[in-house]
C-alpha cells in the first residue's frame, strides 16, 4: 500500500487521548492509509516501579534499565499499555494487533551505553511481521522493546523506534503525537508554534535554549527518521479534535520537520 503513516504516541499523552483520536485512526485505515503505531510508556513504567518499591533511575534524562526495571518495562509496555491501545482502536471499530520489537526479531538492537544497563541501540528493523499484519487488515501496535542476536531483550527509546520503523517500511510521513501543539517559540511575548523546521534551524533553536527538555530527543529522533528516507515528521497535539485528519489532508498544523534546506522562509 503506497499511502503509509507511522504514528508515535508518547506515554505521557496516552491517558488523555480522546476517543475521537482512535476513530480518526480507524477512518484513515478505511480510506486506504496503512497505519502503524509505535508507543511509549515511560510514566507507567515509573509508576509501577514505585509501587514495587523501586526508585526509577535516570542519567541525563535517560532511564537506567537494570534487570528489575527491564522486567517491569516488559510487563507494562507489552501487557498493559500495548493492549490498552489495541482495545481503544477496536472500540472505535478498527482491527489492531499488538506486538513488540521482540516478536519476529522485528527490532534488532545492540547494547547501548553500558551505564544505562539494558538499553539498546537499534541495529536494524525487519518489517515482515508489520507488513503481514497490515496486509491482513490489522493496525500494528508496537511496543518499544528490542532483541539482540543472543536473545537478550532491551528497552529502547520509543521516538527512535518509531523513526526506524518508518524508515524500514518506506513510510514517507512520521507523526509524533504529544501533549503540546508543536515546537514553540515566544514572539512578541506570545508563544507560537513554529510551522516548519530543518536540521540547521533545529540546531540553532537548541543552542538558543528554545528547544529544551523532552523536546530535544523528539526533534533529534525526527532528524534520524529523515536520514532513514522519511520525508517529513510532524509533531502535533493529539488532544486536538480531528488532528490526524488535518495532517493527512496537508493542513498547516503542528510543526513539520523536513530535510535540510527545504524550510520555507518565515
Amino acid at each position: 500500500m503506497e499511502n503509509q503513516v507511522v504514528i508515535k504516541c508518547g506515554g505521557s499523552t496516552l491517558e488523555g487521548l480522546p476517543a475521537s483520536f482512535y476513530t480518526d485512526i480507524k477512518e484513515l485505515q478505511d480510506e486506504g492509509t496503512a497505519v502503524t503505531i509505535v508507543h511509549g510508556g515511560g510514566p507507567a513504567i515509573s509508576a509501577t516501579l514505585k509501587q514495587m518499591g523501586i526508585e526509577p533511575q535516570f542519567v541525563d534524562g535517560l532511564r537506567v534499565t537494570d534487570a528489575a526495571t527491564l522486567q517491569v518495562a516488559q510487563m507494562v509496555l507489552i501487557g498493559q499499555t500495548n493492549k490498552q491501545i489495541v482495545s481503544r482502536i477496536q472500540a472505535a471499530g478498527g482491527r489492531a494487533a499488538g506486538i513488540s520489537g521482540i516478536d519476529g526479531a522485528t527490532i534488532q538492537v545492540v547494547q547501548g551505553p553500558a551505564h544505562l544497563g539494558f538499553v539498546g541501540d537499534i541495529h536494524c528493523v525487519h518489517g515482515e511481521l508489520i507488513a503481514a499484519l497490515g496486509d491482513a487488515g490489522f493496525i500494528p501496535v508496537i511496543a518499544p522493546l528490542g532483541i539482540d542476536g543472543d536473545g537478550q531483550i532491551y528497552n529502547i527509546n520509543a521516538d527512535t523506534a518509531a523513526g526506524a520503523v518508518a524508515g524500514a517500511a518506506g513510510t514517507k510521513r512520521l507523526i509524533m503525537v504529544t501533549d503540546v501543539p508543536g515546537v514553540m517559540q515566544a514572539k512578541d511575548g506570545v508563544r507560537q508554534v513554529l510551522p516548519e523546521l530543518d536540521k540547521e534551524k533545529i540546531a540553532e533553536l537548541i543552542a538558543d535554549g528554545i528547544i529544551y527538555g523532552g523536546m530535544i530527543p523528539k526533534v533529534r529522533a525526527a532528524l534520524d527518521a529523515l536520514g532513514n528516507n522519511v520525508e517529513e515528521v510532524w509533531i502535533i497535539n493529539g488532544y486536538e479534535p480531528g488532528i490526524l485528519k488535518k495532517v493527512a489532508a496537508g493542513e498547516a498544523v503542528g510543526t513539520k520537520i523536513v530535510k535540510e534546506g527545504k524550510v520555507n522562509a518565515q
Side-chain angles (χ1 to χ4, degrees):
M1 198 178 295
E2 290 187 4
N3 193 14
Q4 302 182 72
V5 64
V6 172
I7 300 172
K8 188 269 174 177
C9 295
S12 60
T13 65
L14 284 170
E15 290 300 322
L17 289 174
S20 61
F21 179 85
Y22 298 97
T23 301
D24 286 349
I25 289 175
K26 188 256 185 185
E27 291 180 356
L28 281 176
Q29 186 189 39
D30 289 346
E31 293 164 3
T33 298
V35 180
T36 299
I37 296 173
V38 179
H39 65 83
I45 293 171
S46 293
T48 302
L49 285 169
K50 290 178 179 179
Q51 288 172 4
M52 298 173 65
I54 302 171
E55 188 62 30
Q57 300 295 320
F58 294 87
V59 175
D60 296 330
L62 300 173
R63 184 184 301 279
V64 177
T65 304
D66 59 13
T69 301
L70 180 62
Q71 286 189 334
V72 170
Q74 291 180 72
M75 177 178 69
V76 171
L77 291 171
I78 298 173
Q80 178 179 319
T81 306
N82 187 276
K83 302 314 171 192
Q84 287 175 346
I85 297 171
V86 168
S87 67
R88 288 171 182 171
I89 292 172
Q90 293 179 168
R95 299 175 73 207
I99 64 170
S100 76
I102 302 166
D103 297 300
T106 294
I107 303 179
Q108 288 201 317
V109 301
V110 295
Q111 183 167 9
H115 68 279
L116 294 178
F118 295 102
V119 173
D121 288 336
I122 297 174
H123 173 62
C124 62
V125 174
H126 297 291
E128 295 89 346
L129 179 56
I130 299 171
L133 290 171
D135 290 345
F138 294 96
I139 296 170
V141 180
I142 306 171
L145 293 159
I147 191 166
D148 70 9
D150 295 324
Q152 175 61 53
I153 294 168
Y154 290 88
N155 194 10
I156 52 179
N157 178 276
D159 290 323
T160 306
V165 166
T171 304
K172 301 305 181 186
R173 179 178 291 165
L174 168 63
I175 302 173
M176 291 185 169
V177 177
T178 69
D179 55 1
V180 294
V183 179
M184 305 186 74
Q185 181 178 15
K187 294 182 179 180
D188 300 324
V190 179
R191 286 176 60 78
Q192 299 179 14
V193 175
L194 298 173
E196 194 163 297
L197 299 173
D198 65 6
K199 182 178 181 179
E200 182 179 347
K201 186 64 176 177
I202 285 170
E204 177 185 319
L205 293 172
I206 291 175
D208 291 343
I210 294 166
I211 295 178
Y212 62 93
M215 188 59 74
I216 292 177
K218 288 191 189 310
V219 296
R220 287 180 172 161
L223 293 174
D224 287 343
L226 295 177
N228 287 330
N229 296 318
V230 174
E231 292 184 356
E232 55 189 37
V233 181
W234 297 69
I235 298 177
I236 62 167
N237 180 0
Y239 302 160
E240 181 180 331
I243 187 73
L244 291 179
K245 287 192 167 184
K246 292 177 182 177
V247 173
E251 294 185 28
V253 293
T255 297
K256 181 168 69 171
I257 300 175
V258 296
K259 293 184 184 296
E260 189 172 3
K262 291 188 177 180
V263 169
N264 296 328
Q266 300 298 320

